Amino acid sequence: MIGAIVLAAGSSRRFGGDKRKAALPNGKMVIHQSVETALTCFDEVTLALRYGDNALAEELSTLISNPKLNIFQAPDSALGMGHSLANTIRQVNNWDGVFIFLADMPHLQQVTINHLKETFTANRTNDPIIAPTHNGQLGHPVGFAACYFNALAALTGDKGARPVMNANTTKVIEVTVDDPGVLKDVDTPQDL
């Protein structure tokens, strides 16, 4: 099985408030839309929140009542994205691969995610790392075969999974997509 991790443990410094809870034009919170999109495409989704994010965890559990969703508060979230991802990948059991989403990217299209999953499955025996590209730029979500989980669990700092990609460049398969959502994150209120 291929699962998904949605990283939502950052501090939203540039946004000027908790961007995870900002409302999109459809009325949903940014984090709600990102998690729902992942849930439509994967059998298991783990959402990584900041440590101590009890109120948001409870709110999302009520809002998204789905047995496929595991909400996890990353103990080392204050130390950066690498630490949050390392904490969260250790929660994964029996997955053949994982796609790592950023919660501040709510504009991804389901057809794009399904295409990335199909590419992963078609190349499964080669231990792929699947990365979408749009207009020549690498985007998200990025998929990793299970053989990279130990390397992901050793991440530190705020660089996310980039060091694992850089250490395995021959395994990276870039998939060109016609979806600006793979690049479009919400950093400021104008990005909504």
Side-chain angles (χ1 to χ4, degrees), residues 103-151:
D104 67 352
M105 298 184 76
H107 305 291
L108 283 164
Q109 298 171 15
Q110 291 178 27
V111 67
T112 300
I113 298 165
N114 289 329
H115 180 53
L116 295 171
K117 278 179 59 183
E118 289 164 6
T119 304
F120 182 96
T121 301
N123 292 279
R124 181 176 282 167
T125 57
N126 297 323
D127 298 327
I129 297 174
I130 305 297
T133 64
H134 181 72
N135 290 339
Q137 293 182 13
L138 282 175
H140 288 88
V142 177
F144 293 86
C147 65
Y148 304 107
F149 286 10
N150 286 339

Side-chain angles (χ1 to χ4, degrees), residues 7 22 33 50 70-71 73 80 99-100 105 117 123 137 141 150 171:
L7 294 175
Q33 182 64 61
R50 293 190 283 252
N70 172 40
I71 298 176
Q73 296 179 41
F99 274 83
I100 300 167
M105 298 184 76
K117 278 179 59 183
N123 292 279
Q137 293 182 13
N150 286 339
K171 296 294 189 172

